């Protein structure tokens, strides 16, 4: 039987002839079939994946050099375009829409030899923290099916957690890669804003959105990042900075400087076991010779409100294109006039949470309230940025929990959107400031669920972030 532990090992086995890409793909197709009820995949590209695997096996046997992601089986969140494949942001408004081009990240995956096996369920337009806001229904956490997998990239997290592919891509606007990784016990990496092209990523909040990576190991995340990062003529917000060879730099045995916030670890909303585990980890890191110090952080209570004002404002603008005219769901009522046509198409096509956010975003941008909400939230973003930059003068990393709670029960927070939003308290900061962050699966709660440690680094310092993550998992 095929067993996956890391891309490096898989490649070694391929070279030794112990396994083939076809066996790997067939294994995943079987697993996907056996776990259909988890609802992680929206569509599975079985025939295509089999054909690609056969081709990869032939190429290898013909002595062609193996590319970086040769035969690596990848899943894509349903917000990432793959030419001639459906993409819908898990929304009824985009049902049956077929991508006319591929995202740059997808082009790069394919060029590196990856095999894309299907697209993955998520919260509608990546809005949510539990993967319960999807037109395709909720996704279940494979470790406890009564619990949510986190969101919005819940399908991507479960696909790696349940062994349904080797690596998956998600998107992270306020934690949507790190939080589901935390809930599912895997690695979730959100790179620096501008590290990976957003071309072909369906926009939620464009100044926050970033494609992120789910994997079983730090090295797999590093390798995938190495492949998909870098300049792109189609996205002017992507940095032209050279992409470092992350995988080669992984094993540095360095002593780092970590900052943490008492305000975060003593927060009344934080599960006591999570707080205690992280405090223990801090003590361990000190013992190992790292510098770990508390830094005063007064802004914690402002960042969730600032995030939800700014992201809903951007979303209300980004989602205005889904009007039933150009593409997507459209009303079929005869003889409706234009305004009613828009209203009816959008009312039927968008789900509850998306509508809530469009309305909130439109409100905070409206003439009378713009300064009171949008401008003030922008100021908070700037203050936060200044504060974080000061911290990075003295430290390499900021340590935080990923989420204040472990995976909660399905349905538990659906009637209380504020409670759902507040649970994003530890993740949204990285997106407000554009810094890279990772959730490293280190702990297990007495309720049986896993949880991670979140590490944030300065902009474009993914090298140190991955090195530290490697050390954390090894110890
Ligand atoms: N939970 C956050 C939200 O609902 C994060 C979403 C995301 O990162 N896409 O906005």
């Amino acid at each position: 039987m095929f067993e996956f532990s890391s891309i490096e090992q898989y490649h070694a086995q391929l070279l030794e002839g112990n396994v083939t890409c076809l066996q790997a793909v067939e294994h995943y197709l079987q697993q996907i079939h056996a776990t259909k009820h988890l609802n992680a995949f929206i569509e599975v590209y079985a025939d295509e994946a089999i054909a690609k695997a056969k081709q990869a096996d032939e190429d290898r046997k013909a002595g062609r050099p193996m590319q970086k992601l040769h035969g690596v089986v990848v899943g894509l969140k349903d917000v990432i375009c793959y030419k001639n494949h459906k993409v819908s942001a898990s929304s009824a408004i985009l049902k049956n829409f077929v991508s006319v081009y591929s995202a740059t990240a997808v082009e790069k995956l394919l060029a590196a030899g990856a095999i894309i096996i299907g697209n993955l369920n998520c919260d509608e337009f990546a809005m949510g923290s539990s993967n319960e806001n999807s037109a395709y229904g909720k996704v279940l956490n494979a470790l406890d099916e009564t619990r949510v997998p986190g969101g919005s990239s819940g399908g991507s997290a479960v696909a790696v957690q349940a062994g349904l592919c080797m690596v998956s891509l998600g998107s992270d606007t306020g934690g949507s890669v790190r939080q589901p990784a935390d809930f599912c016990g895997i690695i979730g990496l959100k790179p620096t804003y501008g590290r990976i092209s957003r071309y072909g990523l369906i926009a939620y909040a464009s100044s926050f959105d970033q494609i992120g990576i789910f994997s079983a190991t730090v090295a797999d995340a590093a390798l995938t990042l190495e492949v998909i990062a870098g300049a792109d003529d189609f996205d002017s917000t992507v940095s032209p900075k050279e992409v470092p060879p992350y995988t080669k730099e992984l094993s540095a045995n360095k002593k780092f400087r970590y900052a943490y916030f008492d305000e975060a670890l003593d927060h009344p909303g934080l599960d006591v076991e999570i707080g205690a585990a992280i405090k223990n980890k801090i003590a361990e890191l000190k013992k190992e010779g790292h510098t770990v110090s508390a830094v005063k952080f007064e802004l914690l209570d402002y960042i969730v409100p600032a995030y939800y004002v700014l992201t809903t404002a951007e979303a209300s603008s980004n989602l205005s294109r889904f009007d039933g005219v150009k593409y997507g769901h459209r009303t079929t009522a005869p003889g409706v006039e234009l305004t009613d046509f828009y209203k009816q198409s959008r009312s039927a096509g968008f789900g509850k949470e998306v509508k809530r956010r469009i309305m909130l975003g439109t409100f905070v941008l409206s003439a009378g309230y713009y300064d009171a909400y949008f401008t003030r939230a922008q100021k908070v973003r700037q203050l936060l940025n200044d504060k974080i930059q000061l911290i990075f003068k003295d430290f390499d990393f900021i340590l935080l929990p990923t989420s204040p709670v472990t995976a909660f029960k399905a349905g538990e927070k659906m009637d209380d959107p504020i409670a759902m939003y507040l649970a994003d308290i530890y993740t949204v900061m990285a997106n407000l400031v554009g810094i890279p962050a990772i959730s490293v699966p280190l702990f297990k709660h007495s309720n049986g669920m896993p949880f991670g440690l979140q590490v944030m680094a300065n902009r474009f310092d993914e090298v140190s972030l991955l090195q530290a993550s490697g050390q954390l998992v090894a110890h």
Side-chain angles (χ1 to χ4, degrees):
M1 203 189 108
F2 177 80
E3 250 185 77
F4 176 75
S5 57
S6 70
I7 297 173
E8 194 182 7
Q9 246 212 318
Y10 169 54
H11 280 176
Q13 286 183 321
L14 287 175
L15 284 173
E16 282 166 23
N18 298 338
V19 78
T20 64
C21 297
L22 183 60
Q23 282 169 348
V25 164
E26 281 174 342
H27 163 81
Y28 287 116
L29 291 173
Q30 265 168 21
Q31 293 301 111
I32 292 169
H33 185 72
T35 56
K36 240 183 148 123
H37 65 288
L38 297 176
N39 205 17
F41 277 84
I42 296 172
E43 214 182 326
V44 183
Y45 316 139
D47 295 343
E48 220 181 291
I50 287 173
K52 287 218 161 157
K54 285 183 179 160
Q55 184 63 51
D57 289 332
E58 273 173 34
D59 288 349
R60 204 175 55 256
K61 277 170 202 150
R64 288 188 203 112
M66 275 169 43
Q67 294 147 296
K68 282 187 178 176
L69 295 182
H70 175 89
V72 171
V73 180
V74 181
L76 298 177
K77 182 177 181 178
D78 189 36
V79 289
I80 299 173
C81 296
Y82 180 17
K83 192 175 176 173
N84 297 333
H85 295 76
K86 283 188 205 161
V87 67
S88 72
S90 292
S91 178
I93 208 155
L94 273 175
K95 210 169 186 169
N96 294 326
F97 177 74
V98 176
S99 296
V100 286
Y101 60 86
S102 289
T104 300
V106 171
E107 295 281 9
K108 290 188 176 198
L109 285 176
L110 295 171
I115 298 171
I116 295 173
I117 195 155
N119 66 341
L120 296 156
N121 204 344
C122 60
D123 280 306
E124 185 179 1
F125 284 100
M127 296 174 183
S129 306
S130 63
N131 216 139
E132 292 168 289
N133 305 325
S134 164
Y136 302 101
K138 64 182 186 214
V139 177
L140 312 184
N141 192 313
L143 280 173
D144 176 346
E145 294 178 8
T146 65
R147 293 178 192 263
V148 302
S152 61
S153 320
S156 302
V158 171
V160 171
Q161 175 199 41
L164 312 180
C165 59
M166 295 174 185
V167 170
S168 67
L169 296 191
S171 64
D172 190 312
T173 303
S176 280
V177 168
R178 291 159 284 154
Q179 185 257 23
D182 174 84
F183 281 14
C184 291
I186 58 173
I187 302 270
L189 170 67
K190 179 205 94 74
T192 308
Y193 182 81
R195 185 69 291 189
I196 299 172
S197 170
R198 288 180 296 111
Y199 181 70
L201 168 68
I202 296 178
Y204 159 16
S206 309
S207 75
F208 293 74
D209 298 341
Q210 185 63 199
I211 287 177
I213 299 161
F214 292 92
S215 63
T217 71
V218 176
D220 289 353
L223 181 61
T224 310
L225 180 64
E226 207 171 291
V227 168
I228 64 175
D232 180 16
D233 289 343
F234 294 117
D235 176 2
S236 60
T237 63
V238 162
S239 169
K241 268 184 206 297
E242 212 178 300
V243 179
Y246 298 112
T247 40
K248 294 214 174 70
E249 314 237 17
L250 269 184
S251 53
N253 185 20
K254 286 190 193 152
K255 296 296 170 210
F256 289 113
R257 298 162 304 164
Y258 290 91
Y260 67 93
F261 310 142
D262 283 327
E263 292 83 350
L265 297 184
D266 296 330
H267 196 275
L270 178 64
D271 178 293
V272 283
E273 270 187 50
I274 298 181
I278 294 182
K279 285 179 187 168
N280 267 339
K281 193 77 212 170
I282 287 174
E284 263 175 44
L285 287 167
K286 282 184 187 166
K287 255 194 233 143
E288 287 165 15
H290 301 282
T291 306
V292 196
S293 318
V295 169
K296 201 137 188 52
F297 188 70
E298 316 78 4
L299 293 169
L300 197 64
D301 290 333
Y302 299 95
I303 59 183
V304 168
Y307 168 83
Y308 276 96
V309 168
L310 296 173
T311 53
T312 54
E314 292 190 23
S316 73
S317 158
N318 273 328
L319 271 58
S320 65
R321 73 191 73 177
F322 304 108
D323 56 10
V325 176
K326 296 186 277 293
Y327 37 65
H329 170 84
R330 76 168 50 168
T331 181
T332 49
V336 266
E337 59 149 282
L338 190 63
T339 313
D340 287 333
F341 171 86
Y342 288 150
K343 276 190 194 161
Q344 287 176 19
S345 301
R346 286 165 67 84
S347 297
F350 287 130
K352 193 170 163 190
E353 181 61 25
V354 173
K355 283 183 202 154
R356 178 164 28 232
R357 294 195 192 198
I358 292 174
M359 286 192 277
L360 183 59
T362 308
F363 173 76
V364 300
L365 287 175
S366 59
Y369 296 98
Y370 191 94
D371 282 339
Y373 293 103
F374 188 72
T375 308
R376 285 180 93 181
Q378 290 282 36
K379 287 182 182 165
V380 173
R381 192 176 196 181
Q382 187 58 49
L383 274 178
L384 184 66
N385 186 53
D386 296 347
K387 172 76 187 173
I388 298 298
Q389 287 311 315
L390 267 182
I391 296 174
F392 284 129
K393 282 205 164 113
D394 298 321
F395 295 92
D396 304 303
F397 306 117
I398 298 168
L399 279 185
L400 281 167
T402 305
S403 168
V405 291
T406 55
F408 44 88
K409 296 273 181 188
E412 195 182 300
K413 292 197 202 301
M414 279 309 270
D415 295 329
D416 190 354
I418 302 283
M420 191 84 99
Y421 298 169
L422 285 173
D424 295 337
I425 182 165
Y426 301 123
T427 47
V428 295
M429 189 170 93
N431 307 76
L432 279 157
V433 183
I435 55 178
I438 192 166
S439 181
V440 188
L442 293 183
F443 310 110
K444 195 165 183 181
H445 196 275
S446 60
N447 65 14
M449 297 312 286
F451 60 98
L453 176 68
Q454 186 180 201
V455 190
M456 296 181 182
N458 207 351
R459 287 194 189 106
F460 297 101
D461 197 7
E462 279 85 358
V463 167
S464 307
L465 188 65
L466 290 161
Q467 285 171 344
S469 308
Q471 289 181 355
L472 286 163
V473 240
H475 289 206

